Amino acid sequence: AQTVTQSQPEMSVQEAETVTLSCTYDTSESDYYLFWYKQPPSRQMILVIRQEAYKQQNATENRFSVNFQKAAKSFSLKISDSQLGDAAMYFCAYGTGANSKLTFGKGITLSVRP
Amino acid sequence: SQTIHQWPATLVQPVGSPLSLECTVEGTSNPNLYWYRQAAGRGLQLLFYSVGIGQISSEVPQNLSASRPQDRQFILSSKKLLLSDSGFYLCAWSVVGPPRGSPLHFGNGTRLTVT
């Protein structure tokens, strides 16, 4: 079974600085996709970024980018110029197949210091 | 644009009582639908998913059931709640591919407390 591991339960970053959130996964599939979701205190799940395994280029969305290392099965999220609104729980998720069933990690709580 | 509605937002129910959580999606046809549960300190656990009316797949054996009576309606039910059913329940939808690997779009969730 596929597993997603987020080993850091909490992280903190100073406003305007850069932080990297780690995620590793275990799979025997070659075709899959990965996501980062943000869950602010409102608990609404918000899609941050998506990466296809067959694409070597790392995905970027404004201040958010990923470092996708397929051989190492690593998928980290980098947040640049951190803002107070980035404070949230972040979940890494893995999916394969056509039905979009996603396996989520346990999440990491990110706090942003003003 | 597509929207997803989930209700109620919060629910407090006694042990042994029934449960019905409802989710509807607007602005799309034949979506894949999902129920996830988020327990404290844990990630999201997939409970059920559906690829069409009346087609339900259960991921975790438990006290809950799901139904899809209409294309864009997904219902989570229980005949008798247990204390362990407490948690935050999230409904989600995704488009049926292509492209493969469409992201999940979540509702606002239901906080269920079983007393």
Side-chain angles (χ1 to χ4, degrees):
Chain A
Q2 294 85 6
T3 58
V4 177
T5 302
Q6 295 179 254
S7 57
Q8 307 155 303
E10 297 179 352
M11 287 196 72
S12 180
V13 63
Q14 189 74 35
E15 192 176 7
E17 295 190 346
T18 296
V19 64
T20 298
L21 310 182
S22 300
C23 172
T24 59
Y25 57 94
D26 185 25
T27 182
S28 57
E29 303 285 340
S30 59
D31 183 17
Y32 52 90
Y33 31 92
L34 299 160
F35 303 89
W36 278 97
Y37 278 86
K38 171 185 177 182
Q39 188 181 43
S42 67
R43 303 199 77 172
Q44 172 71 46
M45 291 288 286
I46 302 167
L47 175 66
V48 175
I49 204 162
R50 174 179 179 272
Q51 175 80 43
E52 299 241 20
Y54 71 86
K55 290 185 177 179
Q56 293 186 343
Q57 185 175 5
N58 290 324
T60 62
E61 288 288 342
N62 300 316
R63 298 183 294 108
F64 298 88
S65 61
V66 299
N67 183 5
F68 175 47
Q69 301 290 327
K70 190 172 184 178
K73 297 180 181 176
S74 170
F75 182 60
S76 59
L77 176 69
K78 186 172 79 171
I79 305 174
S80 303
D81 185 25
S82 296
Q83 301 176 0
L84 295 177
D86 295 332
M89 181 167 280
Y90 287 82
F91 291 95
C92 177
Y94 162 98
T96 187
N99 56 26
S100 293
K101 291 194 300 179
L102 297 187
T103 300
F104 285 82
K106 291 186 177 182
I108 178 171
T109 300
L110 176 67
S111 59
V112 181
R113 305 185 303 274
Chain B
S1 63
Q2 302 90 354
T3 56
I4 178 169
H5 303 280
Q6 183 181 344
W7 68 93
T10 56
L11 191 60
V12 180
Q13 292 283 94
V15 168
S17 64
L19 173 73
S20 181
L21 304 181
E22 191 165 340
C23 170
T24 59
V25 180
E26 296 178 356
T28 188
S29 297
N30 194 32
N32 288 338
L33 296 172
Y34 310 82
W35 280 110
Y36 279 86
R37 177 168 60 197
Q38 182 179 16
R42 301 179 66 178
L44 278 69
Q45 179 187 38
L46 179 62
L47 302 177
F48 302 94
Y49 76 96
S50 172
V51 298
I53 296 175
Q55 302 178 60
I56 309 295
S57 296
S58 174
E59 294 293 301
V60 181
Q62 58 206 323
N63 185 41
L64 303 170
S65 63
S67 61
R68 185 171 177 173
Q70 301 182 43
D71 180 45
R72 291 169 289 175
Q73 182 185 27
F74 206 24
I75 298 171
L76 182 68
S77 303
S78 174
K79 292 182 179 179
K80 290 185 177 181
L81 283 168
L82 306 172
L83 286 173
S84 58
D85 292 324
S86 293
F88 189 64
Y89 290 82
L90 286 156
C91 181
W93 71 273
S94 70
V95 298
V96 178
R100 284 158 44 87
S102 298
L104 297 183
H105 306 278
F106 288 87
N108 289 333
T110 297
R111 180 185 300 275
L112 172 65
T113 303
V114 182
T115 61

